[in-house]
Amino acid sequence: MKGLVLVLLLLAGPWGPLGAEPYLQAKGGYVFSFPKDHQPHRGYKTEWWYYTGHLSGPEVRYGFQFTIFKIERENGTAFLFHCALTEPQGFRFDEKLQREFPGLAGERDGGIWVEDNGLKIEGNRHRLVSHCQGANLELELSHARAPVVHGEEGLSPKGENPTNTTHYYSVVDLSGTAVLESIGQRRELKAQVWMDHEFGSNFLEPNQKGWDWITLNLDSGDQMMLFRIRQEPGPDFYWGTYIPKTGPTRTYRRFTLVPQGSWESRKSGVLYPAGFVVQAPEGTLALTPWLKDQELRTPLAGMIYFEGAVEVQGQWQGAAVKGLGYLEMTGYAGPIQARF
Amino acid sequence: MPALARLAALFGTLTWAHYRRKPGRLGLALLGVAVAVAVSTAIRSTNNRVIHSFSRSIENLSGKANLQLTQTGGIPADKLWELSWLWEKGYFSPYIQLETSWQRQRIDLYGFDFLGDRRIRQFNLTRNLAQGPLPQGLWVAQDSPLNGKKEVELVSGAQGRTFPLAGVIQGINGRLPPVGAAFVDLGELLGWHPRLSGLDIWVEQEALESVQARLAQVFPSARIVTVATQQKFTEEMLQAFQMNLGALGLIALLVSCYLVYNTLNISVLERRRDLNLLIALGAKDREIFTALMLEGLAFGVVGGLLGAWGGFVLSQLSYGEVSESLTNLFYLSDARLPFSDWRGPLGSFALGVVVCLGAAWHPARRAVKLQTAQGLNQRVSEFDPQGIKTATGLGLGLILVALAVAWAAVLGHNYRLGFVSIFAAVTGLSFLAPLVLAGLVRLTARGEGLGLFLRASIKGHLFKLSVAVAALAVSLSMAGSVAVMVHSFRATLVNWMETTIQADLYLKSESSDRSPAGELPPEVNRRLLAQPWVQETLQLYMTRAYLKDREVDLAGVEFAKGQYQKSVSFVEGGPESFKEALDHQGVLVSEVLAEKTGLHQGDRLELSGRSYQIYGVFRNYSSQRGLVYLDVELFGELYPGARPIGLAVFLGNRENVEKGQLLVRELLGDLRIDISRSRELKDRALEIFDQTFRMTKLLQWIAFGISILAVVASLSAMVLERKAELAILLALGAKPGLLHLALLAESWVIATAALLLAGAGAFDLSWMLIGVINRFSFGWTIVTELPWGELAETGVMIYLGAALAAWVPIRALGKTQPAQTLKSEGE
């Protein structure tokens, strides 16, 4: 879901028109098989690998985003790379857009690359290389828990229209080491990472203006993926997956996201919520961004959105909890469809 | 009175008052300077603009990429994965460049990566991309001939492909896309011509060298050049062209120098009485000298300004012509480039002023040396044996210098020295004019009557007339030598084509004769060989290759075929060289390449990382960069998958080639192929040749026109100076017709003297042009062949021109009133 914003812009953007296409559709009954399903799925219009996480070292912490999108159209395939780094001293981000072509972007040696940014998944090991506005980040990660498949029969709905769906799974317990080179300094850090991999061909309806998407890692060991799609007219569409520390995961819809205050970007003039409160029968969680300004302005994608590390605090299942999370807010720079 | 005011007064009395009475002469002198400066300006400006436009074209296409990587046979795309390290230093973009044709007009089609290429964003395509439609179809410049079309069919590789017009590329910051180019997304071309032409690479300046070195490791046989080097190659490529035209422009200036000299000299002589009166009244020598130098300066400034303006107009006209020729010959240029380079007009203007000052120096010195008594005597003979000796000595000295420089040019293979030698030789020859004129008078003007008149007249005005002779001789030398050179070159080309073009029909892609756009589908040869009426075919493969940094043409030909062996004319080696090269995987090189690289038969040539023995050097006039012949088998090994770009067809029935041509057309009707008979091919080659030398011819005639002005000026001055004498003759009953005849005879004596000098000059100049300048700048052997018809035509033209020159003073003489003239003479 997280990459939806970028997918949308590319749907009608430079790489092709919306509409009649002979693309594969995300349909029920899809059975995921790993590690095969970590690799690109040809025939779907859009696919993304979305890593967000937290890096920590002695007296320092960072948040990062690493995303590769694959966009297939009639006249070829393009790859888009977005990255962001939340540092104590500020926020930096970058983007790269290249056609699938040797040396520019595409699959190589079992990995997926956009220029010199790439990811490679072998078994339960994930290797990421990112060059983000002068910050070079390399991550060596592995996971113990099996990938979490969202929804039923491998389908994640994006609204009430049953055809607007994707195949969507997450690896929620990636951990390992990170080497960050920035401003002439090299740091070795610990990494806790969430990975989303999603592919499909149909997403939003015209009345869907944007969404707020959240991943949460609570101290208790419970994890959540929650989003709301803001619809005008019509009530917002809420959907998520609850991943308890132990036990089976379940589709989770009994929650609301309540915006808290507002923050206006000086660079874009866009007004965002300054945070959210998750309200659910299990309790209340307040999400506060590490930095107010974690806004990406990406001209190649033609989008302005917020993607940032958040702290979580509140009461959950009768106990005080803390945690870390990632928050994406889109559509605040204007209705997405209207932009194209 | 302050010095400046005195000088101004002197200038007014001496110059202004004088030329107000002589508007014709003033006009002639100014016209001479102006025309010469205009020619020089036009040449310099046109050249500067063409070079500038070339570099703009390169810059616009490369988007200021600072490195360009190309490789013979194209870049293998998979290799690009090995460049991931480059993203840290900068970025790169692959491209495909194809020469295509649209309605037989050349269009350079560039397949850029519309998605990732940052240069495309500079042409405002990004906005269009972001706003909507797919980047399909062609993008062209506003002034492109394709603009406004709905769709266009471009032909490449014998096949046409229709592209819809997507839009117009808007330039930003004054950078415009080239008119003769069209842009399309790389993805659309990959299916048509899958080989990448090259990579444009942008890196920070400090990383340039290390990136270049690392790239060379990844692509050991590639050519990796900086854009600055690329530009240097372009300039070098045009240098010989520029030198040839520039030299002709300078000769025109030299001729005009004689004209100004003559005008000032005559004016000084005419004003001797005024000058001496001024000296007698206290004017200092220095002041007289300065006033006359100012006169020269005024000629230079006024004539130069007129010329610079005229040159600007001329350059507007000639730029299109020259850039069209160059586009045909070399590369695309941007014909809309506005005139912004003022170095051409300013440089020529300055040169014009310097030439006028130089021309004024001697007359001004002469004026202050005049003795008062001599000055008061109007009829002073110019016949001065000592002066003739001095001029002759100077002339012979310069000719010796010319010979020495020519010798150095031959030894050093330096065509620039050839130009220096030409200048020294023509200047030296012009100093021999008094000697030749005096000798001619002694030989021809005998007896009484007309002979006596002629003798007296020519001897009395020997130096003035000598200058006219010199001007005429210089321009005739130039005209004659260029005519000899062009004719010889053409004749050599015709002979070479007769030897080389022996097949009945020649086939090539409609779009281009170069790889890969000009490649013919393999079935063309198969289909032809299946026909009973086809006796044999010869295939020609071609690509560009690099010998170190030098770009050369590399051709794969069928060494084993007897028909081919017969069509090559050798400079070193012979037909057996084909077998030797075939047996030992060796090569043959063209004379141009041998000249430019110093390689000969027996030497080894390093090409794309391999070494080949050279088994022969052959004549070839089709490639200016130099040509290497390999056998087709070897070519195929080096460039797997390459296809022929040309086919020569020998018909079974050689009597009816037209019918054969129709049969081939019918057979290959589904392909876009040019099928030419050998005659048509030869005619087309000669047409291009003639177009190339059109500008040269124009310059020849301009220089000739200026020299005729010099003769008009000399003869008119002579008549004016002797008008009292002529008036007495008329008063005594001399028939005007006889005097007219005398003037005509004088004009023809000048023409004859000029022809004698020009004969020697043209001999020397044509030898330099053929044997030194063309040999060492282009590397071609040209067999001298005299254009008798053209030379005779020039002879007739010069006598007609001389007659025309005599007509002006004859007309002036006709208006002479003897009584009135004598009266004014006596005052």
Side-chain angles (χ1 to χ4, degrees), chain A residues 12-17 74-75 78 96-99 101-108 113 115-116 131 136 300 340, chain B residues 77-78 80-81 84 87-88 92 94 112-116 118 121 129-130 132-136 185-187 190 196:
Chain A
W15 211 241
E74 283 170 16
N75 60 340
K96 308 284 178 193
L97 176 64
Q98 292 287 1
R99 71 190 324 122
F101 194 82
L104 301 179
E107 292 179 68
R108 178 174 56 123
W113 293 85
E115 298 182 359
D116 54 351
H131 296 90
N136 300 333
L300 292 180
F340 302 100
Chain B
D78 285 344
L80 301 190
W81 281 122
S84 56
W87 296 107
E88 248 183 276
F92 66 91
F112 287 138
D113 174 13
F114 276 12
L115 200 62
R118 297 173 206 194
R121 293 175 200 150
L129 288 175
L134 277 165
Q136 283 179 327
D185 181 56
L186 178 74
L190 284 170
L196 292 178

Side-chain angles (χ1 to χ4, degrees), chain B residues 102-261:
Chain B
W102 170 72
Q103 297 183 351
R104 299 196 171 264
Q105 194 175 333
R106 178 173 157 179
I107 300 288
D108 286 272
L109 182 62
Y110 288 86
F112 287 138
D113 174 13
F114 276 12
L115 200 62
D117 193 319
R118 297 173 206 194
R119 112 196 73 184
I120 289 295
R121 293 175 200 150
Q122 296 190 12
F123 287 124
N124 283 2
L125 263 178
T126 309
R127 194 164 53 84
N128 295 307
L129 288 175
Q131 277 178 350
L134 277 165
Q136 283 179 327
L138 287 184
W139 296 80
V140 296
Q142 184 75 40
D143 297 342
S144 165
L146 307 182
N147 189 15
K149 308 274 179 280
K150 207 172 170 185
E151 55 181 30
V152 291
E153 189 193 27
L154 297 179
V155 178
S156 168
Q159 276 156 350
R161 184 170 161 184
T162 302
F163 291 88
L165 254 292
V168 170
I169 298 179
Q170 302 294 335
I172 53 162
N173 298 332
R175 298 183 58 214
L176 297 167
V179 174
F183 303 88
V184 69
D185 181 56
L186 178 74
E188 289 201 53
L189 288 191
L190 284 170
W192 202 21
H193 287 282
R195 275 178 267 163
L196 292 178
S197 307
L199 295 182
D200 282 329
I201 299 158
W202 293 260
V203 289
E204 284 173 13
Q205 204 61 32
E206 53 268 29
L208 203 60
E209 273 183 38
S210 63
V211 167
Q212 214 166 346
R214 209 161 159 192
L215 283 169
Q217 287 174 354
V218 181
F219 297 96
S221 53
R223 177 180 183 247
I224 305 152
V225 290
T226 60
V227 166
T229 315
Q230 185 96 329
Q231 202 159 318
K232 203 181 97 215
F233 288 149
T234 312
E235 286 187 18
E236 275 174 12
M237 188 169 73
L238 291 170
Q239 211 166 36
F241 195 83
Q242 195 175 8
M243 280 290 272
N244 271 320
L245 287 176
L248 291 176
L250 281 177
I251 287 180
L253 263 177
L254 184 67
V255 173
S256 82
C257 173
Y258 291 135
L259 185 64
V260 173
Y261 172 81

Side-chain angles (χ1 to χ4, degrees), chain B residues 476-492 495 697 758-770 782-794:
Chain B
L476 281 176
S477 302
M478 187 189 84
S481 60
V482 170
V484 171
M485 192 266 285
V486 173
H487 181 78
S488 302
F489 197 176
R490 202 175 193 279
T492 306
N495 287 336
K697 287 256 177 204
F763 175 79
D764 173 64
L765 259 65
S766 52
W767 178 74
M768 288 302 295
L769 286 171
I770 291 172
I782 297 174
V783 180
T784 306
E785 191 163 308
L786 294 178
W788 292 112
E790 206 174 331
L791 289 178
E793 195 183 292
T794 310

Side-chain angles (χ1 to χ4, degrees), chain B residues 731-806:
Chain B
L732 288 174
K735 290 182 179 167
L738 190 69
L739 292 180
H740 295 170
L741 191 62
L743 281 172
L744 186 63
E746 270 189 31
S747 187
W748 279 351
V749 166
I750 291 171
T752 308
L755 268 180
L756 286 173
L757 283 172
F763 175 79
D764 173 64
L765 259 65
S766 52
W767 178 74
M768 288 302 295
L769 286 171
I770 291 172
V772 178
I773 292 169
N774 273 293
R775 179 94 189 93
F776 301 140
S777 64
F778 296 108
W780 288 315
T781 296
I782 297 174
V783 180
T784 306
E785 191 163 308
L786 294 178
W788 292 112
E790 206 174 331
L791 289 178
E793 195 183 292
T794 310
V796 171
M797 284 301 292
I798 190 64
Y799 281 106
L800 284 177
L804 192 71

